[in-house]
Amino acid sequence: MKCSKYSANGNDFVIFHSDIKKDRTALAKEICHRQNGIGADGLIVVVPNDKYDFEWQFYNSDGSSAEMCGNGSRACAHYAYENKLASKEMSFLTEAGVIKASVDANMVLSELTPPEILDKGIEINEKSWWLIDTGVPHLVSFTSNIEEFNLDEARELRYKYNANVNIAYIDGNNLRVRTYERGVEDETLACGTGMAACFYRAVKESLVSDSIEVYPKSGETLYLGMNEKTITFKGEVKNTFNTHWSI
């Protein structure tokens, strides 16, 4: 099986395409393993769809499926274009809904599914949290010190709310974000839907404009904006290598 390894702002994925849609839970656990596999935060399988350019199957490294992944959507779009599965402008189906994306060299923009505020009255440990769905649920809290991220607290909140957990620091008109991701069960270098959730809360509270730069733990730059429908998410992706995997 030919597959590709991609990195999108520190999130890494193994991607391949297939004519067959089936359960690949075991494969995801195997191929994403950091020591015994290729190693990745997630596995993306591109499969045919009659209505859209394609659809994907997305698995976290623990084998669990996820409705949406922002960085994964950009990596997947680049892979689809490079493998002639779609043109530069494309739409594809995820469990969260239809994603539109465009490819310009190594820069990829995806239009996320419309965000939804689920709860903005969560007060825990003297912190204000909003629960926002940007394709998957995210808890968001603002902090005065982005260097301090209590992973034990994040892990507890992750299981209590079945959500990813983010802290964000307002840096002028921009944001710095750190994310604990369910499915990986640790902090990751970046999370696209997490950055989008932080951005959406900041816009709703008039703390930033509707077009900003966001910096995840990886230090790379993402460009987030609001259009009349939803959040746009743009950044560089890297095809780090291609290989074959025996199945």
Side-chain angles (χ1 to χ4, degrees):
M1 180 184 77
K2 182 180 179 181
C3 54
S4 297
K5 177 73 179 285
Y6 267 82
S7 175
N9 296 99
N11 268 156
D12 56 346
F13 309 94
V14 176
I15 309 176
F16 70 91
H17 60 278
S18 172
D19 292 332
I20 301 171
K21 184 178 180 180
K22 65 178 184 179
D23 183 5
R24 293 182 167 92
T25 299
L27 176 62
K29 293 179 181 179
E30 182 182 8
I31 208 166
C32 292
H33 196 282
R34 294 288 179 185
Q35 286 74 40
N36 298 320
I38 292 174
D41 291 328
L43 169 67
I44 298 171
V45 186
V46 177
V47 296
N49 183 276
D50 292 335
K51 188 174 181 179
Y52 303 102
D53 289 294
F54 58 90
E55 66 179 279
W56 81 0
Q57 294 179 282
F58 185 93
Y59 297 90
N60 294 308
S61 59
D62 67 354
S64 62
S65 61
E67 295 87 351
M68 179 55 188
C69 174
N71 283 321
S73 72
R74 295 186 303 105
C76 184
H78 192 275
Y79 173 90
Y81 173 68
E82 288 294 307
N83 285 273
K84 298 179 172 53
L85 302 173
S87 63
K88 287 187 176 182
E89 304 285 335
M90 69 188 76
S91 59
F92 59 96
L93 185 63
T94 72
E95 289 186 20
V98 178
I99 299 297
K100 293 183 178 180
S102 60
V103 179
D104 182 9
N106 289 331
M107 295 295 289
V108 182
L109 181 146
S110 64
E111 187 179 86
L112 304 181
T113 54
E116 179 183 1
I117 298 172
L118 304 177
D119 191 342
K120 56 181 181 179
I122 301 171
E123 300 287 334
I124 297 177
N125 298 333
E126 300 182 344
K127 298 174 185 174
S128 167
W129 299 89
W130 283 25
L131 183 61
I132 303 172
D133 191 317
T134 49
V136 290
H138 285 271
L139 284 164
V140 174
S141 180
F142 294 118
T143 181
S144 59
N145 185 357
I146 196 65
E147 301 303 320
E148 293 184 1
F149 190 20
N150 188 328
L151 296 183
D152 290 331
E153 177 187 58
R155 191 172 294 110
E156 180 180 334
L157 291 171
R158 172 262 185 269
Y159 284 103
K160 182 175 182 178
Y161 290 93
N162 191 26
N164 302 282
V165 182
N166 308 263
I167 60 170
Y169 171 74
I170 300 171
D171 187 0
N173 185 51
N174 300 316
L175 290 176
R176 298 188 181 275
V177 174
R178 294 177 67 178
T179 304
Y180 180 98
E181 285 198 62
R182 62 180 188 177
V184 179
E185 305 308 336
D186 204 349
E187 182 178 8
T188 55
L189 292 178
C191 174
T193 52
M195 288 182 277
C198 294
F199 167 62
Y200 191 62
R201 175 176 177 176
V203 168
K204 285 298 183 181
E205 295 195 283
S206 300
L207 301 173
V208 299
S209 72
D210 61 3
S211 179
I212 70 169
E213 295 178 2
V214 182
Y215 311 103
K217 187 179 180 181
S218 69
E220 299 182 48
T221 306
L222 275 297
Y223 304 90
L224 276 80
M226 294 289 301
N227 60 25
E228 64 277 7
K229 296 181 292 183
T230 189
I231 297 170
T232 60
F233 179 53
K234 180 180 178 181
E236 185 179 7
V237 301
K238 302 172 185 175
N239 178 199
T240 54
F241 63 84
N242 302 305
T243 188
H244 287 82
W245 182 263
S246 296
I247 55 174

